[in-house]
Amino acid sequence: MGYISSEAMETVAAELGVPVSRVHGTATFYSLFYTKPQGKYIIRLCDSPPCHIEGSKDIRDAIAKAIGVEPGETTDDGNFTFEIVSCMGLCGVAPAVMINDDVYGNLTPEAIPSILGKYAACSCGCKEGC
Amino acid sequence: MAFYRAHILVDTGTPAVLKGAMAVRSALVEEIKRNGLDKEIQVVETGDLGLPGAGPAIVVYPEGVTYANVTVADVAEIVEEHLLKGRQVQRLVYKGQTAAVITGAGDARSAEMRVILKNIGVIDPTSIEEYIAMGGYEALAKALTTMTPEAIVAEIKASGLKGRGGAGFPTGLKWEFAAKATGEIKYVVCNADEGEPGNFKDRLIMEGDPHQIIEGMVIAAFAVGARKGYVYIRGEYQQSVAHTERAIAVAREMGLLGSDIMGTGFDFDIEVFKGAGAYVCGEETALLESIEGRRGESQMKPPFPPVQGLMGQPTVINNVETLANVPHIIVKGAAWYNGIGTSQTRGTKIFSPCGDVQFPGVYEVPFGTTLREIIFGMAGGIKSGRKFKAVLIGGPAGELVGEESLDRRLCGEDLNPGAGALIVLDESKCIVDLMRNCAQFFYHESCGQCTPCREGTKRMLDIFNWWVAGAGSEDDIKLMDSLTSAMATASRCGLGQFAGVAFRSSLPLFMDEYVAHLRDKVCPNEVCSMDKVAQEVKIASC
């Protein structure tokens, strides 16, 4: 389901015999673990120095404009979550984003709409795509 | 084994696949078949060729010609012109430094020396047979059947091999501590949590030649008496995880891993552990905490991991590149290794120039190579016709140097290479903006455990935020100086200790630029907003 719910944390804590606070502390420590529902597609834009100096800010603005949400937010239809992340080791093709498992590098703001178009929400409004 | 007159290697590294490398591969196979060449020419998938921005790329052997940015539409032309008629398709030929140049006819100007990367872009990383054909697992056989554990440790010590993750601790010494330590079970951990911005060499090794790491780990395990190993790979590196897991499974099937390795009675097995997104887990004690299922918080040292590490047991933790050196040293000997590099720093180092260079990528050179040779030789100099300004060596935790240092040598006794990142800036970039960005990185990645780092990285970011908004004053420099020196002294691990290094090294070099921001409230390169109002709104809202 893409995130670790409070119930799941309570179950883990009970199984391991540790306080829920410790499970929560661990789950929130790592950036690839989520404690809230996320969009179907998570857009991870790198803003570490190599991507930053190659213009990740312009990419950030282009993504925010294309999907209408700021970093840290999810679109109302639940299709996209937008995040700014630390280096993903794609510095050779900076600036880079990952959309779920897919990598896009050497980005320009102009390229963003067509890339995001591939992940557009299904026109019927369902979240699975049909 | 069938004989082919030509081989075509297709770059199937992550960036290339996403740009359509698999479709190019299928089209090549199809077109070759259509021309009746399928008995003569073999198409092979290889790992990442280390040519980011050139993908999908293919290399045609025996000529060793690299074609970059190949599309399905180009395939027919390549097959007809090059493979049928023997004429290279000039418009697609890659002009930068390539593996093909190194392993093929050779380029006299090239200072590259591929030891660790010799198989990258040459073999199919999913084929253990090809690794073995290139001399793979010879070192393991030699170590297990002709050497004692003590002799292996002595050989690694004599080689002078030092850690390639940035800290440069002598590997042989680390192994010796672990070998002498007593424990119920000892561990060998490969640190593949490559997270320092600007570094992508370990990804390339894992994607392109994963057996090297396994071989290095088994030798390390035999030397120190370990029974269990982990490769801790950052979660974002999915292809590295896939290739390493596959290599482990195949090595186990062939009796090169698991129980009774090569029939010698030695048992050792490896498991891949995926990180979940935390830069600090690259710090060895934090990494071990993470494997044990906790928050990745660094621990006080001593005890050091070789004495008391994973599950409280003696543990050797080595970086990917460090372990990849091991088989070569075992086969060719410490004396051979001592002939490479400088008197204090032996061997080769993989660098990853990126940022404003023409050909970003990975390049393996002997220690002692100058910055100029890498940036202006191999990486092709600055792109878009601008001038060189500065380079951040190793990443945000490293030193920033300018033009005055281009002829300095990258080695322990001169410029510390860190893990090998070279983040190059051209003249249009702003140093204060870069430093603010580095501070943002450390603020985000601090584990929050110790006060100097948790509060210090936050204060650094606040102060840089004033500066880029035109709200700083010249007195702030003293404030930043005392803050970063307190962090360097009092932080628990390297994250806080090194967070101020880049700023402190940049200050004397670019004092004019700092003064322009702080006194004149001007960003000379017009990168920073210098907008006090907007920044105040931002600070108030967080």
Side-chain angles (χ1 to χ4, degrees), chain B residues 322-336:
Chain B
T322 314
L323 287 164
N325 269 279
V326 168
H328 304 283
I329 295 171
I330 295 298
V331 169
K332 295 179 188 159
W336 161 79

Side-chain angles (χ1 to χ4, degrees), chain B residues 224-294:
Chain B
V224 305
R227 291 287 173 273
K228 171 86 191 169
Y230 290 95
V231 186
Y232 187 101
I233 306 178
R234 57 181 306 195
E236 293 88 342
Y237 279 11
Q238 291 172 12
Q239 197 172 15
S240 298
V241 170
H243 280 196
T244 308
E245 280 184 335
R246 184 177 172 147
I248 288 171
V250 176
R252 200 183 285 134
E253 258 169 47
M254 292 190 71
L256 300 167
L257 195 62
S259 51
D260 192 23
I261 297 173
M262 289 184 165
T264 58
F266 175 62
D267 303 335
F268 177 71
D269 212 342
I270 303 175
E271 203 178 303
V272 169
F273 193 98
K274 275 169 73 175
Y279 164 75
V280 73
C281 288
E283 197 281 335
E284 57 183 12
T285 58
L287 186 152
L288 297 179
E289 286 291 299
S290 182
I291 295 181
E292 291 180 20
R294 285 188 288 274

